[in-house]
Amino acid sequence: MNQTTALPAPALRTRYASDLVLAALAPASWGTTYVVTTTLLPDGRPLLAATMRALPAGLVLLAATRRLPRGDWWWKSIVLGLLNFGAFFPLIFFAAYRLPGGVAATIGSVQPLVVALLSIGVLRIRPARAVLYSALAGTGGVALLTLGADARLDPLGIAAMLTATSLMATAIVLAKKWGRPESPLVMTGWQLIVGGIVLLPLTLVLEGAPSSLTGENLLGFTYLGIVGTAIAYALWFRGIDRLPPTSVSLLGLTNPMVATLAGLAILGQTLTPWQVTGFTIALGALVAGQTLNRRPKPAAS
């Protein structure tokens, strides 16, 4: 159980801001996944990419922390591991193959609204109305930023993306409800191993083992495994533990924004005036949602 430490209001606000910044690094790193995948990873191997993100990182974290779940955290880790990785990763990649990136990003941006609804029923927390408005504005901004006029709407892809978004939202709320018995790194390792164990047989059956891997492939897998998965999810789970659930989910808006900036810097892409407007709206919604969310109060002394 976490111990509450009495801190003056300025110190508490500073710590809250630090927690926001650290948690935001997770979806920001996920925003680089598309660039890394298209430039460094083997083509047409989404399940291999998902497995290589989850299982090696989980095994390294388990070897480093040497901590196993105890009691009911065995089944809780399995549930969270399936929601965050074992089911989420395949659905995301399935949606990526059937939907344009803009459609997938727009659907994924509704996650704060799903978290808000689940928080009412599971956590008995009613988000501030201003936060809900910020979430809606964020979805609109992401739509302007990522959707093209030729965006196609595949029903199966939409269903997969909605399911994936709902699963991750459920994981956020359940993790908030259950708390954490160990450090974020330890719990990240548990869940990554669960996800990797589920993904490995799927990869071998549906895609088969890779015939060879280049140095660029290994560099991409290493980056996604260490930075985009092990470190990113440890920071993400830390944020879930310390921040309101709607604050955490709103940080997901940094994902498409960083993906856009990475495309500009690395792939030489350009932005239309509408996309610039969408980027500005999404950024404003992110800042407003965190500012208008329930402010931390000093603990009673």
Side-chain angles (χ1 to χ4, degrees):
M1 299 294 291
N2 297 331
Q3 293 183 345
T4 302
T5 304
L7 291 174
L12 194 63
R13 284 194 292 270
T14 300
R15 188 175 71 177
Y16 185 78
S18 299
D19 292 338
L20 281 174
V21 171
L22 288 174
L25 292 176
S29 72
W30 300 333
T32 65
T33 300
Y34 176 77
V35 169
V36 173
T37 300
T38 55
T39 58
L40 297 178
L41 299 190
D43 293 332
R45 302 300 301 266
L47 287 176
L48 174 65
T51 303
M52 292 295 288
R53 282 188 69 180
L55 191 55
L59 291 173
V60 169
L61 288 179
L62 181 63
T65 58
R66 298 183 181 182
R67 303 285 292 179
L68 291 173
R70 289 180 293 179
D72 59 1
W73 270 100
W74 279 102
W75 69 263
K76 289 180 179 179
S77 297
I78 292 174
V79 170
L80 293 175
L82 288 173
L83 292 174
N84 280 315
F85 304 108
F88 178 77
F89 275 177
L91 286 169
I92 283 291
F93 283 117
F94 178 82
Y97 270 84
R98 300 186 72 97
L99 293 174
V103 175
T106 301
I107 296 173
S109 68
V110 305
Q111 186 189 93
L113 298 174
V114 180
V115 169
L117 291 175
L118 291 174
S119 295
I120 294 173
V122 178
L123 303 176
R124 306 300 180 191
I125 296 175
R126 186 176 298 276
R129 189 172 300 176
V131 175
L132 298 179
Y133 292 155
S134 296
L136 286 171
T139 297
V142 171
L144 287 175
L145 175 63
T146 59
L147 284 180
D150 57 345
R152 52 186 174 83
L153 302 178
D154 179 82
L156 289 178
I158 291 174
M161 193 64 201
L162 282 174
T163 302
T165 300
S166 300
L167 290 179
M168 193 170 191
T170 302
I172 291 174
V173 174
L174 287 180
K176 191 68 178 179
K177 179 179 178 63
W178 291 339
R180 60 175 177 86
E182 298 282 355
S183 71
L185 273 179
V186 172
M187 295 187 65
T188 301
W190 297 346
Q191 295 179 45
L192 284 172
I193 289 177
V194 170
I197 289 174
V198 172
L199 290 165
L200 181 59
L202 286 175
T203 302
L204 294 176
V205 170
L206 297 178
E207 293 183 356
S211 56
S212 63
L213 293 174
T214 67
E216 286 187 345
N217 297 158
L218 294 175
L219 177 62
F221 285 133
T222 299
Y223 171 81
L224 290 179
I226 296 176
V227 178
T229 304
I231 296 175
Y233 275 96
L235 292 174
W236 186 246
F237 296 148
R238 178 185 181 275
I240 291 173
D241 182 59
R242 297 184 175 216
L243 299 168
T246 47
S247 289
V248 176
S249 58
L250 276 170
L251 293 175
L253 294 174
T254 61
N255 185 330
M257 290 192 290
V258 170
T260 300
L261 294 176
L264 290 172
I266 299 175
L267 301 180
Q269 298 172 344
T270 58
L271 292 182
T272 66
W274 280 114
Q275 288 177 305
V276 173
T277 301
F279 188 96
T280 303
I281 293 174
L283 180 60
L286 173 62
V287 174
Q290 302 300 343
T291 304
L292 298 173
N293 209 345
R294 186 174 300 171
R295 294 179 179 274
K297 298 179 181 179
S301 53

